[in-house]
């Protein structure tokens, strides 16, 4: 059986599907990952076939304002829609669609009859339990949470309108708006698996049937991979260090952020590792080391704390390692995950990216490392996450869908 996983966005929006794809391959499925060219090597390392999707988040710049974000998203999605149909060949038996690709993939299902399943990394369905992830706001009460959730879906529909119009025309389908097609999917209880932990987001009781929270899909890494000798030496040379990194966020801000990071570490009396990322963080010194990409699963359990942008993947990885966090959310769903970590007690109150100073970071680091309450909460969540098997649940759902 041939499965295509379609995902688009930053590294954190794609990497979890390499682990899911590798598990599906081990279960006997023939798996392809469709993503933008940037991630061809990730698919290759996981032993997955790669199919290119024609868009690039980097082409639309580093955007943090809500309006700028909407414009950049619409441009990216329109690019994506142009060649989305090319990625699906006639031999594909099942489409697994991410949050960003589902509103395009639905139309391929309609045109070709190929069954599809949602594999989301964020909860997008309106609920009274919390406001929509893109608003990052505090709970507004059950009625208002649901209302803003519906409004957020309408805003997302607007981002997809042009791409959907062009795609349906190309597939010779009659015109239908993204919201019309989404309503049809909801009425049919189109199944969506959510690849995050119930430790962070329990399944809302007011969700319709077909929506499940199954646990995380972890990025693939080679079991034989080891940390570099330089990194091992640094870890062994003193107390557990703190990792500071912003993933694919904050490009162009590297010099300022590196300075803040080093000052904060000195103020808090801590050793630190700076992860370069898109911001190109860098610093030298006896108590500071700069590194590139390293699998979270190898490094995080060796740390005292992680300072991160609260992307879904990094938030889950720190929690899985039982390591507390200081979150510095930048945009999109990051304030939501930062709020969930803080509510759990596994992180300090978030520091909004624009409000980050060496003083604030040092205070939060001192709190998270010296007080055991955050470490205990993270360890408890890690024990909960160890009982979940996101990939196993996905395989079970696929077997039920295809057998049915």
């Amino acid at each position: 059986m041939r499965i295509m996983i379609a995902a688009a966005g930053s590294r954190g929006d794609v990497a979890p599907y390499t682990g899911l794809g590798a598990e599906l391959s081990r279960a006997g499925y023939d798996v392809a990952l469709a993503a933008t060219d940037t991630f061809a090597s990730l698919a290759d390392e996981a032993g997955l076939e790669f199919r290119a999707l024609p868009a690039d988040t980097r082409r639309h710049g580093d955007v943090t304002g809500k309006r700028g974000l909407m414009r950049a998203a619409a441009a990216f999605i329109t690019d994506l829609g142009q060649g989305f149909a090319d990625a699906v060949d006639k031999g594909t038996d099942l489409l697994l669609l991410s949050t960003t690709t589902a509103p395009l993939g639905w139309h391929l299902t309609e045109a070709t009859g190929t069954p599809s399943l949602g594999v989301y990394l964020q909860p997008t369905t309106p609920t009274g339990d919390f406001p929509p992830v893109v608003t990052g706001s505090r709970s507004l009460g059950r009625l208002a949470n649901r209302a803003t959730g519906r409004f957020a879906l309408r805003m997302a529909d607007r981002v997809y309108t042009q791409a959907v119009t062009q795609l349906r025309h190309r597939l010779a389908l009659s015109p239908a708006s993204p919201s019309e097609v989404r309503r049809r999917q909801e009425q049919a209880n189109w199944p969506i698996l959510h690849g995050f932990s119930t430790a962070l987001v329990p399944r809302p009781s007011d969700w319709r049937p077909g929506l499940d929270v199954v646990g995380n899909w972890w990025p693939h890494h080679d079991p034989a991979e080891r940390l570099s000798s330089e990194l091992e030496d640094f870890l062994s040379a003193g107390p557990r260090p703190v990792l500071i990194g912003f993933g694919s966020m904050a490009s162009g801000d590297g010099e300022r952020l590196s300075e803040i990071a080093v000052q904060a570490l000195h103020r808090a009396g801590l050793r630190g590792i700076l992860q370069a990322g898109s911001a190109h963080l860098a610093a030298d010194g006896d108590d500071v080391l700069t590194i590139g990409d390293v699998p979270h699963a190898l490094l995080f359990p060796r740390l005292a704390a992680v300072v991160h942008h609260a992307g879904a993947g990094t938030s889950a990885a720190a929690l899985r390692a039982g390591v507390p966090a200081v979150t510095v959310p930048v945009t999109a769903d990051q304030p939501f995950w930062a709020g969930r970590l803080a509510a759990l007690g596994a992180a300090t109150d978030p520091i909004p990216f624009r409000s980050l100073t060496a003083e604030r970071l040092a205070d939060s680091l001192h709190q998270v490392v010296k007080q055991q309450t955050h470490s205990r909460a993270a360890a408890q969540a890690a024990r909960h996450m160890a009982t979940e098997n996101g990939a196993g649940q996905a395989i079970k759902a696929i077997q039920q869908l295809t057998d049915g």
Side-chain angles (χ1 to χ4, degrees):
M1 181 177 177
R2 299 181 66 194
I3 295 175
M4 188 181 92
I5 306 172
S10 67
R11 185 187 179 98
D13 297 311
V14 176
Y17 299 109
T18 62
L20 175 58
E23 290 289 342
L24 288 168
S25 291
R26 276 193 281 276
Y29 296 101
D30 183 356
V31 186
L33 176 66
T36 53
D37 280 332
T38 326
F39 305 112
S41 60
L42 291 186
D44 188 51
E45 287 159 17
L48 307 176
E49 181 193 338
F50 179 74
R51 297 184 193 170
L53 293 179
D56 189 347
T57 47
R58 295 170 304 178
R59 199 160 69 74
H60 303 294
D62 190 35
V63 184
T64 52
K66 281 207 170 74
R67 274 201 182 149
L69 191 68
M70 287 283 281
R71 276 197 302 272
F76 172 71
I77 293 300
T78 302
D79 286 353
L80 195 63
Q82 290 291 327
F84 197 82
D86 295 334
V88 182
D89 63 19
K90 288 187 171 60
T92 301
D93 300 305
L94 177 65
L95 286 171
L96 300 187
L97 302 170
S98 74
T99 317
T100 46
T101 61
L104 297 169
W106 294 338
H107 308 282
L108 291 172
T109 288
E110 188 179 331
T112 65
T114 306
S116 60
L117 180 68
V119 283
Y120 288 12
L121 301 179
Q122 300 85 9
T124 61
T125 305
T127 172
D129 288 7
F130 46 80
V133 297
V134 289
T135 66
S137 59
R138 296 182 186 281
S139 178
L140 308 165
R142 296 194 68 81
L143 282 175
N145 284 346
R146 269 195 289 270
T148 52
R150 288 191 292 270
F151 177 74
L153 285 181
R154 286 199 296 276
M155 289 297 97
D157 289 340
R158 282 173 57 180
V159 168
Y160 283 87
T161 298
Q162 186 180 346
V164 163
T165 301
Q166 292 173 355
L167 183 59
R168 288 185 72 83
H169 177 73
R170 182 173 163 193
L171 296 170
L173 294 170
S174 58
S177 69
S179 54
E180 280 176 65
V181 177
R182 181 169 44 74
R183 278 195 293 274
R184 281 185 225 154
Q185 296 282 357
E186 286 167 7
Q187 283 159 5
N189 288 336
W190 184 65
I192 303 174
L193 306 178
H194 295 84
F196 47 78
S197 175
T198 54
L200 272 175
V201 185
R203 183 190 185 280
S205 57
D206 58 357
W207 271 5
R208 65 165 173 82
L211 304 175
D212 292 303
V213 179
V214 297
N216 287 85
W217 303 306
W218 302 107
H220 170 80
H221 74 268
D222 185 341
E225 190 171 357
R226 297 289 178 266
L227 299 178
S228 70
S229 55
E230 182 188 28
L231 183 47
E232 278 289 359
D233 290 346
F234 183 81
L235 289 165
S236 305
R240 286 185 173 221
V242 167
L243 177 77
I244 301 177
F246 298 95
S248 55
M249 295 290 113
S251 58
D253 253 337
E255 201 173 317
R256 180 180 75 88
L257 291 171
S258 300
E259 200 173 302
I260 287 173
V262 171
Q263 284 180 16
L265 288 166
H266 286 162
R267 278 172 176 266
L270 297 166
R271 302 194 319 134
I273 298 170
L274 303 192
Q275 190 158 32
S278 295
H280 301 297
L281 299 185
D284 293 316
D286 291 341
D287 287 332
V288 183
L289 178 70
T290 302
I291 62 170
D293 281 339
V294 174
H296 291 157
L298 292 182
L299 178 59
F300 281 15
R302 312 277 298 275
L303 302 170
V306 184
V307 178
H308 61 78
H309 59 297
T314 313
S315 298
L319 212 52
R320 180 196 197 188
V323 176
V326 174
T327 56
V328 186
V330 183
T331 189
D333 61 339
Q334 294 158 18
F336 173 81
W337 296 112
R340 302 304 285 195
L341 286 172
L344 205 59
T348 55
D349 287 338
I351 306 172
F353 181 71
R354 296 292 172 208
S355 309
L356 183 66
T357 62
E359 293 79 9
R360 284 191 74 172
L361 183 54
D363 287 348
S364 292
L365 279 172
H366 187 271
Q367 183 185 331
V368 84
V369 174
K370 307 298 182 196
Q371 295 177 11
Q372 291 304 303
T373 51
H374 299 296
S375 296
R376 280 198 293 270
Q380 187 176 344
R383 287 192 292 273
H384 177 101
M385 292 170 91
T387 67
E388 296 173 324
N389 180 2
Q393 291 295 316
I395 290 167
K396 199 180 291 183
I398 287 166
Q399 286 168 344
Q400 286 171 351
L401 186 72
T402 52
D403 291 348

